[in-house]
Amino acid sequence: MDAPAAVTRTHCPYCALQCGMELRVDSGVPDGADDGINNGTTNGASDGAGNGTRLRVSGWDKFPVNGGALCQKGATATELLAPASRLTSPLIRRSRDAELEAATWDEALDFAAARMSAIAAGHGRDAVGIFGGGGLTHEKAYSLGKFARVVLQTPHIDYNGRFCMSAAAAASQRAFGVDRGLPFPLADVAQTDVILLVGSNLADTMPPALRYFTTQRENGGRLIVVDPRRTRTAEQADLHLQPVPGTDAALAAGLLHVLIAEHLLDEEFIAARTNGFEEVRAEALRWWPERVEAVCGVPAGDVRAAARLFAGADGSGKPARPTTGMVLTARGTEQQADGADAVNAWINLTLAAGKAGRPYCGYGAITGQGNGQGGREHGQKADQLPGYRKITDPAAREHVARVWGVDADSLPGPGRPAVELLASCGTDIRALLVAGSNPVVSAPDAQFVTSRLAALEFLAVCDVVMSETAALADVVFPVTQWAEEAGTMTNLEGRVLLRRKAVDPPEGVRSDLEVLGGLADRLGRPGFLTSPPEIFEELARASAGGVADYSGLSYARLDAASEGPGLHWPCPAPNHPGVPRMFLDAFGTPDGRARFVAVGHEPAVEEPCAEYPYRLTTGRVLAQYQSGAQTRRVPSLNAAAPGPYVQLHPDLAAAVGVSEGDPVRVTSRRGSAVGAALINDLIRPDTVFMPFHWGGAGRANSVTRRTTDPVSGMPAFKTAAVRVEVAR
Ligand code: SF4
């Protein structure tokens, strides 16, 4: 019989839902024994120690966000720990033409520190940069920011979270003075009357979240989905609007136009709790539904119906019935050249309908990456210091410098946002340290990005596996992940979570924190913290008084709060309960009033033309995650989603002579990607869709644009002009 299992309650390694999961380490299992179960809730992955242990994963019933449910990715997560595909030794490329070869930790750290030091000495400190990841724990994200500003003293740090929801973050700050993905618990979704879900396919990206939407509809609520594709999420909607990608600002203005024309505004709320409506009203009056139809491709009748539904009206001219409502956006509306403006257009609609600042109402952004929220709160973003402080704010610099024991004047200023930072590689940025990111697959215009990384004088990568980016590196550090280390994360609701360690890492692997500590020692800054609880304690002090104030949080509190309502930031004192619902009394602006932001619709920078007559939009599938560096190594996920596809409408397929399953090449001004044809009428006839999880010939980001939203630095992933043909 197996010995009793040791259970560790922790959280999923993937998305921002951060589902609670239980890991059972069964000891006393004969080597090679396996229960053969792989039914989506358990698996027989070994910890690889050869010591007769077996690791199983199941949902954690008492963690309220997922209530025990896991998606396919979470249910197979222990396979990520299997050593077969892991890096277990540092690797060095000793000369440009040499292969990567195994090295000791001292050799690798000495080599990396010497190269970074020589480049900084020869070309200035700004010649060294850092590129982080939205999946890293707070402790790692915070340490990367501190390492950049204190050890390297470079301004150049940014992360792949810039690609995730920076547009929504910028828009929320403009409107509310605060950016927290959802300013309310996800469970509130089930209690609201009307949801307007824009550019999100939750059914594939975070299936356990769907139960709240199902309950909302069972409670009599209504769901409006805005998406160019009829996804599994859109299938559940009462009303599905299928706009041309990149026209959200016009569509939102059209809905607002209907509220104005049909006297459905919440004038009392606008007067009492907002500023700036008149300018927004003037812009909305230019977007009557027929004009919206011409620009967005959404029938004018549907624009009117959506506006009435959202306002609680029936179109009879009678006053709207008082309803609650939410607008939730995700990457579809945010990853555009006007991403922040488009989100503000949706927020304007939310405010005009009075659906903010009260229970079961509000605007929220559905964060994608596991710690996409926390990653930008604590210093991994080019313009921020811990606590969501501005790096240009003298008081913030003084406070953080005091915690770090350095002179505020020694802290660099803001660096470049991710796309610019990557584009600078090989020119003024000559050395780059990448942690928790695979930009060769995930960055827009990936061929260009690959060429810039290849042009660096020195590239170091911390990763768990040999990703496409690690394969280009001069030094690769094999690092711990998820269940092999303690750390904290903030999920999409601003709930701060403790990830507990369940197993030891494979021999030869160290934490990213130890990599930074080892480099700091060699770069003349000994004593860099490497213990997660100690780092969190320092982070909490550094965040004190900031917008994202974690100073009342500790590992002990997070441990104790893990099964209840949880602790949502801000939490400024050890006895403070946190703030699950923000803005009920006041918004986060200096005068406490929400701000309407006057925005217009700008046509996509790259409109279809004779040579590139269609639009490409990209996204995720259920069984793969982001750049696929992790999920492409899980056999059952690969079996479910083995490679890229190109979704196209039957009319478009007939026009270009493509049949189901044909290899289809999608080509833009930047490059091509090939996938198997998936032909159905669930997508607009002028638009094709590709998931972006693969490298090589199927890399969708070879086609996408590195044009960015000027407000947030978000790349315009979701609209590229392309041609489509059979790949012969
Ligand atoms: Fe993990 Fe997200 Fe799936 Fe939950 S929904 S199991 S957090 S990938």
Side-chain angles (χ1 to χ4, degrees):
M1 262 181 66
D2 292 359
V7 178
T8 304
R9 297 191 172 90
T10 188
H11 296 275
C12 177
Y14 298 114
C15 85
L17 201 57
Q18 282 298 288
C19 291
M21 51 175 51
E22 294 183 335
L23 298 181
R24 285 179 172 73
V25 182
D26 297 347
S27 56
V29 179
D31 279 357
D34 190 320
D35 62 5
I37 299 170
N38 193 355
N39 60 7
T41 55
T42 64
N43 69 59
S46 159
D47 71 354
N51 59 0
T53 63
R54 177 174 51 194
L55 194 60
R56 298 158 177 261
V57 61
S58 57
W60 174 6
D61 292 352
K62 293 203 172 80
F63 180 66
V65 179
N66 62 312
L70 298 175
C71 79
Q72 233 173 319
K73 296 184 290 288
T76 54
T78 53
E79 294 181 41
L80 298 174
L81 303 167
S85 58
R86 294 290 295 278
L87 293 168
T88 54
S89 167
L91 303 169
I92 294 182
R93 193 187 310 279
R94 293 183 193 277
S95 67
R96 266 284 117 140
D97 300 328
E99 297 292 315
L100 284 165
E101 59 184 64
T104 67
W105 272 96
D106 276 340
E107 280 176 319
L109 289 166
D110 288 348
F111 186 73
R115 296 296 295 128
M116 290 167 129
S117 193
I119 288 168
H123 302 282
R125 294 179 180 281
D126 294 11
V128 184
I130 291 185
F131 196 80
L136 298 176
T137 61
H138 288 122
E139 291 77 2
K140 293 182 183 182
Y142 169 84
S143 297
L144 278 176
K146 182 180 171 187
F147 184 81
R149 277 97 184 204
V150 173
V151 180
L152 298 176
Q153 293 187 284
T154 177
H156 296 311
I157 174 166
D158 212 59
Y159 78 131
N160 64 17
R162 181 75 67 172
F163 305 159
C164 180
M165 57 170 290
S166 56
S172 291
Q173 286 181 359
R174 291 199 295 194
F176 306 121
V178 178
D179 149 42
R180 195 183 87 185
L182 299 183
F184 42 75
L186 187 59
D188 282 9
V189 162
Q191 307 302 322
T192 197
D193 292 322
V194 191
I195 299 169
L196 186 50
L197 181 65
V198 189
S200 168
N201 181 15
L202 282 164
D204 280 357
T205 55
M206 45 178 68
L210 212 57
R211 67 197 179 115
Y212 295 111
F213 293 78
T214 306
T215 306
Q216 184 251 358
R217 296 195 62 230
E218 287 168 357
N219 289 343
R222 312 294 292 275
L223 175 64
I224 306 165
V225 170
V226 178
D227 196 313
R229 297 190 302 141
R230 192 159 184 84
T231 62
R232 293 197 300 130
T233 310
E235 289 286 352
Q236 306 195 15
D238 298 283
L239 182 59
H240 174 207
L241 310 182
Q242 256 179 298
V244 172
T247 62
D248 283 59
L251 180 59
L255 267 67
L256 180 52
H257 180 103
V258 177
L259 297 195
I260 296 167
E262 301 191 5
H263 309 290
L264 299 173
L265 299 173
D266 188 335
E267 303 275 10
E268 202 176 318
F269 176 85
I270 292 169
R273 300 211 43 196
T274 71
N275 290 325
F277 181 59
E278 284 314 311
E279 210 182 330
V280 168
R281 179 202 295 266
E283 172 65 19
L285 288 176
R286 298 174 53 236
W287 289 99
W288 58 94
E290 286 71 19
R291 183 178 177 215
V292 171
E293 177 173 340
V295 171
C296 307
V298 175
D302 285 354
V303 175
R304 290 191 174 89
R308 290 168 187 155
L309 196 54
F310 187 60
D314 58 10
S316 65
K318 292 188 199 143
R321 123 190 121 80
T323 51
T324 52
M326 293 175 178
V327 173
L328 306 174
T329 68
R331 306 304 84 76
T333 197
E334 298 159 13
Q335 290 178 331
Q336 303 285 356
D338 68 343
D341 282 1
V343 174
N344 276 116
W346 291 116
I347 294 174
N348 289 341
L349 177 73
T350 316
L351 295 172
K355 299 203 184 323
R358 58 191 173 98
Y360 311 119
C361 286
Y363 161 78
I366 300 173
T367 313
Q369 295 191 79
N371 201 26
Q373 178 74 43
R376 68 177 175 279
E377 290 166 1
H378 297 297
Q380 200 181 189
K381 205 168 165 209
D383 55 351
Q384 287 181 195
L385 288 172
Y388 223 127
R389 289 182 155 93
K390 285 193 170 67
I391 201 165
T392 49
D393 173 3
R397 294 169 64 86
E398 281 293 340
H399 172 83
V400 174
R402 227 178 0 260
V403 173
W404 287 349
V406 299
D407 186 338
D409 291 338
S410 71
L411 298 179
R416 295 174 192 155
V419 171
E420 274 184 55
L421 186 148
L422 292 171
S424 309
C425 288
T427 52
D428 44 342
I429 293 181
R430 294 162 183 262
L432 188 72
L433 172 64
V434 176
S437 186
N438 186 16
V440 167
V441 175
S442 64
D445 197 356
Q447 281 169 149
F448 172 77
V449 168
T450 306
S451 73
R452 297 326 310 153
L453 294 177
L456 285 163
E457 290 175 26
F458 179 71
L459 174 64
V461 173
C462 298
D463 212 328
V464 176
V465 295
M466 182 55 81
S467 69
E468 287 82 354
T469 304
L472 294 179
D474 300 291
V475 171
V476 181
F477 296 109
V479 291
T480 49
Q481 57 168 325
W482 167 59
E484 296 164 353
E485 58 192 9
T488 55
M489 309 281 282
T490 294
N491 82 346
L492 77 170
E493 327 160 275
R495 183 188 298 255
V496 189
L497 305 166
L498 178 62
R499 268 196 192 164
R500 300 174 178 91
K501 177 178 172 179
V503 293
D504 288 330
E507 199 174 330
V509 169
R510 295 185 186 176
S511 163
D512 309 62
L513 300 171
E514 292 172 281
V515 173
L516 296 179
L519 291 174
D521 283 347
R522 288 161 175 81
L523 292 168
R525 290 274 179 179
F528 206 75
L529 294 178
T530 58
S531 150
E534 287 177 16
I535 294 169
F536 189 80
E537 187 274 330
E538 184 182 284
L539 177 160
R541 281 190 286 120
S543 77
V547 173
D549 189 332
Y550 282 41
S551 59
L553 299 174
S554 62
Y555 270 39
R557 277 197 84 187
L558 295 175
D559 189 28
S562 61
E563 291 188 345
L567 290 162
H568 300 69
W569 70 258
C571 184
N575 58 356
H576 191 285
V579 183
R581 293 178 184 82
M582 304 178 101
F583 312 145
L584 296 183
D585 300 319
F587 294 98
T589 53
D591 63 4
R593 296 164 73 91
R595 293 183 285 236
F596 282 94
V597 178
V599 292
H601 164 67
E602 295 293 333
V605 177
E606 189 173 75
E607 286 287 342
C609 60
E611 196 177 351
Y612 302 102
Y614 307 110
R615 287 181 167 86
L616 169 73
T617 188
T618 62
R620 287 165 47 191
V621 299
L622 172 60
Q624 298 286 354
Y625 183 68
Q626 306 295 58
S627 81
Q630 295 155 292
T631 48
R632 281 187 273 127
R633 289 171 169 83
V634 176
S636 58
L637 298 180
N638 262 340
Y645 63 84
V646 179
Q647 182 183 9
L648 62 174
H649 191 278
D651 294 351
L652 196 159
V656 296
V658 168
S659 302
E660 181 76 13
D662 278 352
V664 174
R665 179 179 297 111
V666 178
T667 304
S668 70
R669 291 178 175 83
R670 293 151 297 280
S672 297
V674 177
L678 175 69
I679 301 172
N680 56 46
D681 62 1
L682 304 177
I683 187 166
R684 294 179 57 86
D686 53 9
T687 301
V688 296
F689 169 84
M690 278 193 85
F692 64 84
H693 309 291
W694 292 271
R699 183 173 63 181
N701 278 319
S702 296
V703 184
T704 55
R705 293 187 292 161
R706 64 193 150 89
T707 305
T708 55
D709 167 31
V711 179
S712 64
M714 169 70 90
F717 283 105
K718 291 285 196 276
T719 341
V722 296
R723 67 169 182 266
V724 177
E725 61 209 339
V726 176
R728 304 208 184 272

